[in-house]
Amino acid sequence: MAKTKLTPSLIGVIDLGTNTFNLLIAEVWKDNYRVVLKKKISVKLGEGGISKDFIAPIPFQRGLDALRKYKRILTSKSVDCFYAVATSAIRSAVNGHEFVGKVYSELQININVIDGDKEADLIYQGVCQALDLGGKPKLIVDIGGGSTEFIIANRQEDFWRKSYPLGAARLLDIFQPKDPISIENVNEIDAHLFETLQEMIQMCEAYEIDSIVGSSGSFDTLAEMISCKKESNTSWKKESFYAFDFDDYSEVQRLIYSSSLEERLKMEGLVPMRADMIVVSIIFINFLLNKLPIHNMYLSSYALKEGLIKTLIRNSNGWQKSLS
């Protein structure tokens, strides 16, 4: 059976993440695309209920409002069709199906709820567009709000991938750390990661992982904070990836660890929506740096939504689309 190719010149993708809903509009031709617009709206869908696998009323409404705004943008840009994809918060919530139904009845948006394995695959497809992974396997890490995806891969293939319910918002809700965070809080979260991630550690050892590629999110925030602190040129934002200097990272992570939420809200380069969760993300990244012999750490500016665009261009079968 012949594969179904996308025919529209303009398509959109909405990534319904736990922390943010991301919109990407792209002009598609043949087997390639050009980004026309990118936008993100903070929804914090897991606020007040993520550890109970429930979308609370206020974030439920925030999610609907964000999608209503995106629908208007897609219509105004004359986008032919778009695809909405939901990840951890919606797929794990007992009322996730209610959210999906409400979105369709009010906005006629079809939401594709994907599992953790498919999410990891789309992240890999996105990262591969951002930088050359080379022949030696690397560990791709996407620290989301509800889940964290790990992919061991090189430029040709992914060897192992797994999604864990270890997102920053979920961990924050479970452990309720002090402000500023205490060493006891850090040790408690660290112990939980160690207990949960044994398979990941073993796989990294088996593939002799010495490099991390962080996908968007918290890694993007860290790169921005480093840039602001050094008053350096921000031309890296125009690139698809960024190589971290460990001295720069060490300085910024110490600053984050020792700060209160009020202080972080005033830090340059740290967007308010990440001010609470960045501490947990730092614990996560430090855990990886301490447990694995990491010599290189990169940021990929491309993630799930870019991976989905590329996937749709190749073959849109199995994906429910919506019309603007």
Side-chain angles (χ1 to χ4, degrees):
M1 182 182 294
K3 291 182 177 180
T4 302
K5 291 275 187 173
L6 288 171
T7 55
S9 58
L10 275 180
I11 63 170
V13 162
I14 305 175
D15 169 14
L16 286 74
T18 301
N19 294 326
T20 59
F21 284 4
N22 297 278
L23 171 67
L24 185 152
I25 298 175
E27 183 181 41
V28 177
W29 70 99
K30 294 183 180 179
D31 292 327
N32 212 336
Y33 70 93
R34 178 181 68 86
V35 174
V36 174
L37 180 145
K38 276 187 180 183
K39 186 173 177 60
K40 62 176 60 179
I41 298 176
S42 173
V43 295
K44 292 199 170 182
L45 209 59
E47 188 174 69
I50 192 165
S51 62
K52 305 177 188 69
D53 290 330
F54 179 76
I55 304 172
I58 292 175
F60 193 108
Q61 187 60 49
R62 279 201 300 259
L64 284 174
D65 293 342
L67 290 174
R68 190 169 284 108
K69 289 177 184 176
Y70 282 165
K71 183 75 181 285
R72 286 199 295 266
I73 292 172
L74 288 157
T75 302
S76 70
K77 296 291 183 182
S78 300
V79 174
D80 301 277
C81 67
F82 62 94
Y83 295 78
V85 173
T87 55
S88 180
I90 293 173
R91 70 170 172 251
S92 64
V94 293
N95 60 337
H97 66 285
E98 181 185 338
F99 182 83
V100 171
K102 189 81 169 174
V103 168
Y104 183 76
S105 65
E106 290 194 7
L107 302 170
Q108 291 72 57
I109 295 177
N110 287 304
I111 296 178
N112 297 267
V113 181
I114 60 173
D115 61 22
D117 186 70
K118 174 56 70 174
E119 183 177 359
D121 177 59
L122 293 177
I123 291 165
Y124 170 63
Q125 299 299 331
V127 169
C128 281
Q129 299 172 58
L131 72 162
D132 184 355
L133 293 174
K136 182 174 172 55
K138 295 175 177 58
L139 178 66
I140 299 169
V141 184
D142 190 297
I143 304 173
S147 64
T148 293
E149 283 66 49
F150 294 98
I151 306 103
I152 294 176
N154 64 12
R155 72 162 74 93
Q156 283 89 20
E157 61 181 316
D158 62 317
F159 304 101
W160 176 86
R161 61 179 185 249
K162 189 165 183 176
S163 175
Y164 291 86
L166 294 171
R170 193 181 297 275
L171 292 172
L172 198 64
D173 195 50
I174 291 170
F175 290 98
Q176 299 284 316
K178 294 177 181 178
D179 182 35
I181 196 166
S182 68
I183 188 63
E184 290 78 17
N185 293 147
V186 174
N187 290 339
E188 190 178 18
I189 296 171
D190 206 59
H192 180 66
L193 294 176
F194 183 73
E195 181 182 355
T196 310
L197 296 174
Q198 281 302 300
E199 182 186 1
M200 184 275 295
I201 294 171
Q202 291 168 8
M203 295 304 294
C204 286
E205 290 172 349
Y207 282 96
E208 300 181 341
I209 296 299
D210 65 2
S211 297
I212 290 175
V213 180
S215 170
S216 227
S218 300
F219 289 90
D220 190 60
T221 298
L222 290 169
E224 177 67 5
M225 290 182 72
I226 290 169
S227 177
C228 290
K229 193 164 184 59
K230 295 178 70 176
E231 298 182 351
S232 59
N233 192 310
T234 58
S235 60
W236 65 271
K237 290 183 180 179
K238 299 176 183 178
E239 304 297 328
S240 58
F241 74 96
Y242 171 82
F244 286 94
D245 178 283
F246 282 114
D247 288 338
D248 293 337
Y249 168 76
S250 182
E251 184 178 354
V252 168
Q253 65 89 24
R254 283 197 302 270
L255 182 66
I256 291 170
Y257 260 148
S258 62
S259 63
S260 65
L261 177 59
E262 184 180 359
E263 290 168 334
R264 290 194 297 278
L265 285 168
K266 299 174 184 176
M267 290 181 183
E268 279 192 281
L270 178 53
V271 292
M273 60 164 276
R274 295 198 184 277
D276 54 353
M277 288 174 283
I278 192 67
V279 180
V280 177
S281 297
I282 287 293
I283 295 172
F284 217 132
I285 295 168
N286 286 349
F287 172 84
L288 297 173
L289 295 179
N290 290 331
K291 293 295 184 290
L292 303 171
I294 300 302
H295 301 306
N296 304 287
M297 186 164 73
Y298 305 95
L299 155 71
S300 166
S301 297
Y302 294 3
L304 184 148
K305 55 189 180 297
E306 289 84 4
L308 179 56
I309 285 281
K310 201 69 174 179
T311 299
L312 291 168
I313 290 171
R314 291 171 183 153
N315 183 9
S316 61
N317 282 340
W319 295 94
Q320 283 191 309
K321 69 180 177 182
S322 302
L323 302 177
S324 299

